[in-house]
Amino acid sequence: MTLQTMKRYIISHREGIDGLKLQTDVPVPELRSPTDIRINIKYLSLNARDLQIVNNDYPAPHDVPQDCVPVSDGCGVVEAVGSEVTLFKVGDKVAPVFPQGHHYEEDLALRSLKRGLGGAIDGVAAEYFVCDQEEAVHIPSNFDCLQGSTLPVGFTTAWSSLYSHHPALQAGQTVLCLGTGGVSLCAAQIALSAGARVILTSSSQSKLDKVTELLPDLVPDSAPNNAIQTIDYSKIEAWDVEARRLNGGRGVDFVIEIAGRATLARSIRSTKQGGLVAISGYMTLPRSTDIAKVILYSAANVRGVFVCNREDFKTAVSALELGGVKPIIDKVFKFDDLKDAYRYMEEGRHIGKVCIEL
């Protein structure tokens, strides 16, 4: 028998993590149309965006509604379907599309941004979530719901950075991934599974050591030793020069630029002519940095990258399924401890994804 009430969180204010408020007696949402599905959410995963929203530091061109349900990324099991639903059945494991309505376009339209879960409209930090059948996708058949919760932003942003724009990743190329957070590690995994080389950066050698223990399963035994390389930028300030050195004196093909302040210029200098610097992180630039000059003389492609559209999301699901890629999950919190999960992410000690079990 379906429960009549559920737990959910709302963002009661945007002055920090304490604005997250747990509600324990909220009506379970009803199906609104014959093409709706209701998902029993099993797991969430956090992104930098979620933290920015509660800290009132999110730069999106839309308002965040009062008492918005937080969190963009979740996965669960279809619990009810409308009379005209054809894409899913009860029991299917699915993840909602982020943002809702982003189905075909290469670039994210403003109308879709205004349907971003957990910021523009209610997110998935609730035991049940209702959406139209067109606004969800099946997760890989070899994923569980914990792994599936990492897909809607983390993996789709990584996929978009490497495949949804020009140029697209090819085997044998090199991808420079800044940091050891969700998007960067997702990109590293996708790149390795496609036969590309990866260079990872961090200010923590222990994090780099851990990552190099986790990633080799995606590298054939016959691959050269430089398939996975690392840079500790706490020891090597000119990491752009080091990236080129590690790549045989050439610029890298792709940079996953998520780190923020003061990294963009070095990211561009790391890149070959015609390569792509994919910016998916929020950043503020030092006034002394002449970014226009850096871009001009690099001849690199520099562009903002959001999540891929729904159809590319489906392609990514197939690729992950066939390539044997599984998300790197750092820690799983209980739903009642959502604030602790946010704080843990804010501390920046995680490697990969921070998840929450409902």
Side-chain angles (χ1 to χ4, degrees):
M1 182 177 178
T2 303
L3 294 175
Q4 299 302 307
T5 61
M6 67 175 186
K7 293 181 180 180
R8 73 174 186 184
Y9 279 87
I10 61 169
I11 304 172
S12 62
H13 64 74
R14 298 180 62 204
E15 299 172 6
I17 294 170
D18 286 338
L20 294 169
K21 179 181 178 181
L22 178 63
Q23 298 180 325
T24 59
D25 195 28
V26 179
V28 171
E30 299 289 340
L31 300 181
R32 301 159 299 191
S33 81
T35 56
D36 273 356
I37 62 173
R38 183 164 60 223
I39 305 167
N40 181 197
I41 300 293
K42 299 296 186 181
Y43 286 91
L44 315 173
S45 72
L46 297 181
N47 296 285
R49 171 184 182 270
D50 299 310
L51 195 57
Q52 291 170 349
I53 288 171
V54 298
N55 287 330
N56 198 23
D57 192 32
Y58 186 52
H62 59 70
D63 294 330
V64 176
Q66 179 64 37
D67 296 337
C68 183
V69 176
V71 185
S72 58
D73 285 16
C75 181
V77 177
V78 175
E79 183 263 348
V81 297
S83 60
E84 297 179 13
V85 169
T86 59
L87 301 179
F88 302 102
K89 64 182 184 301
V90 171
D92 284 352
K93 293 180 292 184
V94 301
V97 171
F98 174 87
Q100 305 272 281
H102 185 38
H103 296 168
Y104 300 105
E105 296 151 315
E106 176 180 347
D107 293 304
L108 188 57
L110 179 59
R111 65 177 180 276
S112 296
L113 271 174
K114 290 181 177 179
R115 295 182 67 194
L117 299 175
I121 63 175
D122 283 344
V124 293
E127 290 180 306
Y128 291 91
F129 178 81
V130 170
C131 65
D132 189 86
Q133 64 174 343
E134 298 288 349
E135 305 300 347
V137 300
H138 288 98
I139 67 172
S141 61
N142 54 351
F143 274 36
D144 57 27
C145 287
L146 171 59
Q147 295 161 334
S149 72
T150 69
L151 293 171
V153 168
F155 269 106
T156 62
T157 301
W159 187 268
S160 179
S161 299
L162 298 174
Y163 287 113
S164 295
H165 308 286
H166 178 79
L169 179 67
Q170 299 180 39
Q173 293 186 324
T174 302
V175 180
L176 174 62
C177 301
L178 302 193
T180 56
V183 172
S184 287
L185 288 191
C186 291
Q189 291 178 284
I190 292 170
L192 289 170
S193 69
R197 295 180 174 87
V198 165
I199 302 172
L200 291 141
T201 73
S202 175
S203 61
S204 168
Q205 187 60 51
S206 63
K207 283 188 175 182
L208 293 172
D209 292 342
K210 180 65 174 178
V211 168
T212 54
E213 292 175 4
L214 295 170
L215 291 177
D217 287 346
L218 297 171
V219 181
D221 293 338
S222 59
N225 292 333
N226 65 349
I228 303 172
Q229 300 179 96
T230 63
I231 302 172
D232 181 347
Y233 60 81
S234 71
K235 300 175 182 176
I236 303 175
E237 182 179 358
W239 51 264
D240 51 334
V241 176
E242 178 67 0
R244 283 178 169 269
R245 186 191 71 80
L246 293 175
N247 199 41
R250 305 179 303 276
V252 302
D253 300 279
F254 291 83
V255 179
I256 307 301
E257 167 55 77
I258 53 85
R261 186 172 300 165
T263 60
L264 182 56
R266 290 195 186 276
S267 290
I268 295 168
R269 295 188 190 108
S270 302
T271 310
K272 74 174 188 179
Q273 292 184 343
L276 176 64
V277 179
I279 306 170
S280 59
Y282 175 54
M283 61 190 174
T284 54
L285 297 171
R287 293 182 180 179
S288 60
T289 303
D290 188 346
I291 292 299
K293 181 178 179 181
V294 174
I295 295 173
L296 173 64
Y297 285 98
S298 73
N301 297 294
V302 182
R303 66 166 296 147
V305 172
F306 292 94
V307 296
C308 63
N309 63 44
R310 184 196 61 195
E311 296 307 296
D312 279 359
F313 190 171
K314 293 177 182 178
T315 301
V317 164
S318 296
L320 295 174
E321 188 174 70
L322 294 171
V325 174
K326 294 292 182 71
I328 295 173
I329 295 169
D330 183 281
K331 191 170 182 178
V332 181
F333 291 80
K334 295 296 185 182
F335 192 51
D336 287 354
D337 300 323
L338 182 65
K339 291 182 183 180
D340 292 337
Y342 271 72
R343 292 188 183 102
Y344 181 75
M345 185 173 180
E346 188 173 46
E347 291 169 359
R349 293 187 288 113
H350 59 290
I351 297 173
K353 299 298 292 185
V354 177
C355 297
I356 297 95
E357 180 183 11
L358 278 75

